[in-house]
Amino acid sequence: MTHRKHLLGAALLALASAGAFAADAVGVAQKQPLNMTAIGMFFVFVVATMGITYWAASRTKSTADFYTAGGGITGFQNGLAIAGDYMSAATLLGLSAMTFSKGLDGFIYAIGFFVGWPVILFLMAERLRNLGKFTFADIASYRLDQGTIRTFAAFGSLTVVCFYLIVQMVGAGQLIKLLFGLDYATAVVVVGILMVIYVTFGGMIATTWVQIIKACLMLFGGTVLLFLSMSEFGFSLETVAKKAVEVHKDGIKIMGPGSLMADPVTAVSLSLGLVFGTAGLPHIMMRFFTVPNAKEARKSVFVASGCIGYFFMVVCALGLIAITIVGTNPDFYEGGNTAGKMIGGGNMPVMHLSKAVGGNLFLGFMSAVAFATILAVVSGLALAGASAIAHDIYARVICKGTASETQEMRVSKIATIGLGVVAVLLGILFEKQNIAFLVGLTFGIAASTNFPILILSMYWKGLTTRGALLGGLAGLISAVTFVVLSKAVWVVVLGNAEAIFPYEQPALFSMPLAFFFTWLFSVTDSSARAKIDKAGFDDQYVRSQTGIGAASASAH
């Protein structure tokens, strides 16, 4: 059972975006010697992105600029930025480590992750751009009661953002302690400060370009590492596979499916959470409002899919190559015993591979890219949280649309600073905690709360305010409850003898409950508000298909 749990944990690590499972990947990392090369390269990255933030600040003149870069990002640029969210430190470390230890299993999970992209591409991308302005709540409340649904949608978004921020900050602290040799608290504070600066001064423009630069660095670094590594094998994948089978402790078994599917219920639930949770993450949905029209939104997903697909293939190949180059080198193991523990933890093969083929300089570069990855994502998360507070709660619910742009911008920046402080404090507080349950909860909530309401509001005429509110609450409460009652929390955290809920992932159970109760409370709703909700569907449908009346790009 413990073995299976570790494998599922590795799968989660490999598939989550932007460092989500980095903390669990490295455990409570041992502080390494100070890596001045990595710190120097990271300093260069910070200086460059600060320059971008300064430039972006001069172009951030309105709420549209702050939240969505004025809708002026091209589809290609936005695709790179989305890819920047997914080509994560955790993907680089975790997926390569999974392939290193289990072979084909790592590749299977990488492919499985792409099931989520057709959902976003064919069902959501164009309609998101045509219907929304700044946030997920703009779409959910388009024809429903503004006050009720905006409040609930903002609360759901903030819940996902806060849980995700905790995971990101803990991951940042543990990774940087491991890769750079900095103290945990120092790393968390640095990430928090830089996040606040990027978002407060540069808004979505700065955040987007930080993500684009990071994506390009990750693609470049991965490609160079693959080229250098493949040169050791005469650029023959056949030779790579043959050598890996010869030296791996499991031999030919690594070329076939392993034991990751030993618990199919948890595996299916994990898959559902990742696929539909991805489509419910607020910082991902915001990206589709940054392009000028639906055509560019569709192009964004195509570009992102190509970049992510290529990167995942590279990472899997690196994991396979590391079996021979890293797995047989005693320099990378404690006490020089290749059958023992790897220096830095079991998720470090790709970093050791960087040093083996590129020396300390290339190791420093890859370490800096890993840190830059986390910075890019926490900036997007902070912006999504700030928009939920300022645009949805303050401007639309409290002020009922009467707030000026200046007032809303001020609240956004205050909210960003507040989120930065909260993220740092929670990151330090959760340093020694196992946060795997927070990851399951984050994706479970996104898949069970945001996604059902979002998809039904766009496609089902019968959705009513009461159905959306009660169905969304059912998804939120059930997702939280199932995770709390699972082994990860009920046994490991709370110390009980046996878990009440036998599975580790909630989505397979909580998401159907959300859809069912949304349907039930909608079809049984005969109120005057329900008639208004249903009557507004035709207007929404025309807008979603044509984009007539949709927010347009700002002129600069």
Side-chain angles (χ1 to χ4, degrees):
M1 180 67 188
T2 302
H3 181 61
R4 185 174 69 194
K5 180 180 176 183
H6 287 165
L7 289 177
L8 285 167
L12 281 165
L13 167 68
L15 298 175
S17 55
F21 306 104
D24 286 327
V26 297
V28 179
Q30 296 298 312
K31 184 178 177 182
Q32 301 296 304
L34 207 63
N35 188 336
M36 295 308 297
T37 304
I39 292 173
M41 290 188 173
F42 178 68
F43 181 75
V44 171
F45 173 82
V46 170
V47 170
T49 52
M50 284 298 176
I52 291 171
T53 303
Y54 179 79
W55 164 78
S58 65
R59 298 169 62 88
T60 304
K61 301 173 183 177
S62 66
T63 52
D65 295 332
F66 184 79
Y67 294 135
T68 63
I73 304 297
T74 68
F76 181 77
Q77 292 167 345
N78 195 44
L80 280 176
I82 293 172
D85 271 334
Y86 278 85
M87 296 187 305
S88 63
T91 302
L92 178 67
L93 297 177
L95 186 56
S96 59
M98 192 174 171
T99 309
F100 176 84
S101 62
K102 292 297 169 184
L104 184 65
D105 278 343
F107 185 67
I108 290 174
Y109 269 84
I111 293 173
F113 187 61
F114 278 93
V115 177
W117 284 104
V119 174
I120 298 175
L121 175 60
F122 295 113
L123 296 181
M124 299 175 64
E126 292 186 32
R127 296 192 182 208
L128 281 171
R129 177 59 187 87
N130 287 337
L131 291 173
K133 187 177 182 183
F134 297 149
T135 66
F136 151 63
D138 287 335
I139 299 165
S141 65
Y142 186 92
R143 59 187 170 91
L144 306 180
D145 181 71
Q146 291 281 316
T148 303
I149 299 302
R150 275 192 184 276
T151 301
F152 172 74
F155 179 75
S157 294
L158 282 170
T159 303
V160 172
V161 165
C162 286
F163 278 125
Y164 216 16
L165 273 175
I166 293 173
V167 179
Q168 298 293 339
M169 299 306 280
V170 175
Q174 298 294 2
L175 272 174
I176 304 319
K177 189 159 91 174
L178 187 65
L179 299 177
F180 286 72
L182 295 176
D183 289 327
Y184 174 86
T186 302
V188 171
V189 171
V190 168
V191 172
I193 291 173
L194 290 174
M195 170 188 82
V196 169
I197 292 173
Y198 291 152
V199 177
T200 303
F201 294 100
M204 181 58 88
I205 299 174
T207 300
T208 297
W209 282 101
V210 168
Q211 289 167 331
I212 290 172
I213 290 172
K214 175 243 136 169
C216 293
L217 287 174
M218 191 71 94
L219 287 168
F220 173 77
T223 302
V224 171
L225 181 56
L226 180 63
F227 179 84
L228 292 174
S229 301
M230 286 296 292
S231 67
E232 303 280 329
F233 300 88
F235 297 98
S236 170
L237 279 175
E238 183 180 358
T239 304
V240 170
K242 183 180 178 181
K243 292 280 189 182
V245 168
E246 289 175 358
V247 302
H248 198 280
K249 60 182 177 61
D250 293 333
I252 194 63
K253 290 182 180 179
I254 64 171
M255 293 300 165
S259 56
L260 282 173
M261 300 300 289
D263 183 358
V265 174
T266 297
V268 170
S269 193
L270 163 65
S271 300
L272 284 175
L274 289 174
V275 169
F276 298 109
T278 299
L281 294 176
H283 66 293
I284 297 298
M285 286 185 281
M286 277 190 76
R287 293 237 54 91
F288 291 103
F289 307 141
T290 65
V291 293
N293 51 53
K295 177 183 176 182
E296 294 298 309
R298 189 167 61 248
K299 185 188 295 183
S300 298
V301 187
F302 274 116
V303 172
S305 298
C307 293
I308 295 166
Y310 169 76
F311 183 72
F312 271 41
M313 294 290 286
V314 167
V315 168
C316 287
L318 292 174
L320 193 63
I321 292 168
I323 292 173
T324 302
I325 295 180
V326 176
T328 59
N329 191 334
D331 293 342
F332 299 125
Y333 289 84
E334 295 179 5
N337 179 16
T338 56
K341 292 184 177 179
M342 183 175 290
I343 295 173
N347 285 278
M348 294 297 287
V350 75
M351 288 300 173
H352 291 318
L353 182 63
S354 301
K355 184 174 182 179
V357 300
N360 278 322
L361 186 65
F362 196 63
L363 173 63
F365 172 78
M366 294 302 291
S367 300
V369 170
F371 200 0
T373 294
I374 296 173
L375 270 180
V377 180
V378 294
S379 298
L381 285 168
L383 192 56
S387 66
I389 294 170
H391 178 66
D392 295 323
I393 297 176
Y394 173 75
R396 299 296 174 178
V397 177
I398 296 176
C399 296
K400 301 188 184 302
T402 61
S404 67
E405 286 203 354
T406 303
Q407 291 173 319
E408 191 174 334
M409 286 275 285
R410 187 184 304 121
V411 173
S412 294
K413 293 182 178 183
I414 293 172
T416 302
I417 295 171
L419 282 168
V421 172
V422 169
V424 169
L425 292 176
L426 290 176
I428 293 173
L429 182 66
F430 278 78
E431 175 185 1
K432 291 180 172 60
Q433 296 297 314
N434 183 312
I435 57 171
F437 73 93
L438 283 178
V439 173
L441 186 57
T442 301
F443 277 83
I445 288 175
S448 306
T449 308
N450 294 349
F451 176 72
I453 306 308
L454 182 67
I455 202 75
L456 290 176
S457 69
M458 291 192 292
Y459 281 93
W460 186 39
K461 184 175 184 176
L463 181 68
T464 68
T465 297
R466 187 181 78 168
L469 178 62
L470 296 179
L473 284 172
L476 174 63
I477 294 169
S478 62
V480 174
T481 302
F482 288 141
V483 172
V484 170
L485 297 180
S486 71
K487 183 180 178 181
V489 181
W490 195 252
V491 177
V492 177
V493 178
L494 300 181
N496 293 293
E498 189 174 346
I500 297 175
F501 182 69
Y503 305 107
E504 296 177 12
Q505 297 299 318
L508 180 61
F509 307 93
S510 56
M511 192 170 74
L513 283 176
F515 275 107
F516 173 74
F517 283 112
T518 302
W519 170 81
L520 178 64
F521 290 118
S522 291
V523 296
T524 58
D525 189 357
S526 57
S527 65
R529 177 69 237 183
K531 294 177 181 176
I532 297 173
D533 296 337
K534 294 173 183 177
F537 180 79
D538 291 337
D539 172 67
Q540 176 183 305
Y541 180 78
V542 172
R543 163 85 166 263
S544 70
Q545 294 295 313
T546 65
I548 296 173
S552 58
S554 301
H556 289 294

